[in-house]
Amino acid sequence: SAPQRSVYDDLGGQAGIEQLVEDLLVRVSDDPRIAPLFIGVDIVNLHSRLSEHLCAEAGGPCVYAGKNMVDAHAHVDINAAHFNALVENLVETMEARGVPRSAQNRLLARLAPMQRDVVGASRAGGR
Ligand code: HEM
């Protein structure tokens, strides 16, 4: 049988991922639940790092060269509601771009375990 399409392919490869991340960041900046957490952030850097990270997680030919998830979020006070809001924005973005449900779910399954590091980051030391 044919090999399963990678999540990377279903996201539209490099170009699709870069567009997805751009759409996601626009959506996030429009969401009052989490937009305040992104004030003052270098969005150009975030766009490239996040694209690279998602590409690698989706099985694409990328090497993530950014910070680990604890260090990246150590100065951002993120709670579980913030995390869920970001996931909601990601799902809406993928849905709007016509990403197949199976690929959405496979990507979310890769990201879910990172909640521990992202939400716990600003409380590091107390974990
Ligand atoms: C699985 C979920 C998440 C992933 C995979 C993720 C991934 C990333 C990556 C790759 C970076 C860039 C790191 C670097 O510059 O080296 C980053 C930065 C950032 N993330 Fe996340 N993130 C997640 C969840 C969240 C959530 C829930 C929030 C807030 C609602 C958030 C807010 C931020 C902010 C504000 C930055 C920029 C920090 C700065 O440059 O000062 N992230 N994230």
Side-chain angles (χ1 to χ4, degrees):
S1 61
Q4 193 179 24
R5 267 173 76 83
S6 70
V7 174
Y8 175 76
D9 294 328
D10 279 337
L11 292 176
Q14 189 63 49
I17 289 172
E18 284 175 15
Q19 192 58 60
L20 170 78
V21 171
E22 185 171 332
D23 292 356
L24 174 64
L25 292 176
V26 168
R27 223 174 255 272
V28 162
S29 72
D30 236 24
D31 184 341
R33 295 173 298 176
I34 49 177
L37 301 178
F38 291 82
I39 291 171
V41 165
D42 179 348
I43 291 296
V44 173
N45 171 70
L46 181 58
H47 181 272
S48 19
R49 292 286 87 81
L50 196 51
S51 300
E52 204 173 74
H53 186 270
L54 289 182
C55 169
E57 290 300 322
C62 306
V63 177
Y64 174 60
K67 299 172 181 165
N68 67 46
M69 290 299 100
V70 170
D71 290 346
H73 302 94
H75 58 294
V76 193
D77 194 6
I78 302 170
N79 61 33
H82 294 137
F83 189 91
N84 291 337
L86 186 74
V87 169
E88 203 180 295
N89 280 285
L90 175 59
V91 169
E92 286 168 4
T93 305
M94 290 193 290
E95 199 62 27
R97 294 185 53 76
V99 174
R101 287 284 165 79
S102 59
Q104 293 185 25
N105 291 335
R106 287 163 72 198
L107 182 63
L108 294 175
R110 298 280 310 204
L111 301 184
M114 295 172 195
Q115 169 157 9
R116 203 180 335 124
D117 288 341
V118 169
V119 171
S122 72
R123 291 182 259 306
R127 282 197 295 147

